[in-house]
Amino acid sequence: MLATFVAVFGTDKWGRRKLFIEGGIQMLIFQVAVAVLIALKFGVSGNVTELPEWYSIIVVMCICIYVSAFAWSWGPLGWLVPSEIFPLEIRSAAQSITVSVNMFFTFGVAEVFLSMLCGLKYGLFIFFSVFVAIMTVFIYVFLPETKGIPIEEMRVVWKRHWYWKRFMPDHDDQQVNGNSV
């Protein structure tokens, strides 16, 4: 829980992208570490005759470090960044979709986690580490930094981004159904 304060006090100091990328790298490292530790001791059978206390402490520490990385990066920023990047005209609808998608996938992961753990064993942690890697690369490539940028100026940020600029209108007075946007 204390790791969340890193995001609370560091987001405006270090920037969203940096926290996303650093958190993603840390999460990836410790997700893979957990997979390796479980694979070495449990293998694919899931049976172990002896598990030393020091070994289990290392596994729990790796999980705790993973959770703390999530708590100072992807956890809070997954709520903050969407609220900052959408234009004022669609912000409430876009944030509603963001929350709905987040809850849907949280429910899905919670529903299948134990079944996947029984079937994939340590491979489950590799499975999720692939998604952490994809998420981190996505942020690196597609998310512009929003640190210090007023919400009203986000259109300019999107217009300057190498990829997203092709989806932005050339003028700000675009008409949609006769109404100015």
Side-chain angles (χ1 to χ4, degrees):
M1 178 187 80
L2 296 176
T4 305
F5 289 107
V6 172
V8 170
F9 296 110
T11 300
D12 287 330
K13 183 177 181 178
W14 300 307
R16 286 99 173 113
R17 276 176 47 93
K18 183 173 182 173
L19 288 178
F20 266 133
I21 293 167
E22 292 286 332
I25 291 168
Q26 185 177 335
M27 288 166 54
L28 179 64
I29 289 168
F30 286 95
Q31 188 85 272
V32 171
V34 169
V36 169
L37 289 167
I38 291 175
L40 291 174
K41 210 59 171 165
F42 293 89
V44 291
S45 70
N47 298 324
V48 65
T49 56
E50 182 182 335
L51 185 63
E53 183 178 346
W54 66 267
Y55 199 86
S56 58
I57 289 171
I58 290 173
V59 172
V60 170
M61 284 177 53
C62 287
I63 292 170
C64 288
I65 294 170
Y66 170 87
V67 170
S68 71
F70 180 82
W72 62 260
S73 62
W74 286 87
L77 294 177
W79 298 100
L80 175 66
V81 170
S83 72
E84 294 178 337
I85 64 173
F86 294 117
L88 291 171
E89 300 84 14
I90 64 163
R91 178 161 294 123
S92 60
Q95 194 64 14
S96 298
I97 292 169
T98 299
V99 170
S100 298
V101 169
N102 188 322
M103 293 297 165
F104 175 78
F105 281 102
T106 299
F107 173 78
V109 168
E111 283 297 307
V112 301
F113 182 82
L114 288 178
S115 299
M116 289 178 71
L117 181 61
C118 290
L120 297 175
K121 310 293 189 251
Y122 67 88
L124 175 65
F125 298 96
I126 299 296
F127 175 82
F128 284 119
S129 69
V130 169
F131 283 100
V132 171
I134 291 169
M135 295 174 353
T136 304
V137 169
F138 182 89
I139 292 296
Y140 181 78
V141 174
F142 293 113
L143 182 71
E145 180 57 69
T146 59
K147 176 177 101 172
I149 299 179
I151 291 172
E152 298 80 20
E153 299 294 321
M154 278 308 298
R155 285 185 189 269
V156 175
V157 172
W158 294 121
K159 285 181 181 182
R160 290 183 183 158
H161 190 270
W162 71 271
Y163 181 78
W164 300 115
K165 67 183 175 186
R166 68 184 83 178
F167 301 105
M168 296 302 296
D170 290 336
H171 52 84
D172 289 331
D173 297 328
Q174 182 184 13
Q175 296 285 320
V176 176
N177 296 331
N179 298 321
S180 182
V181 180

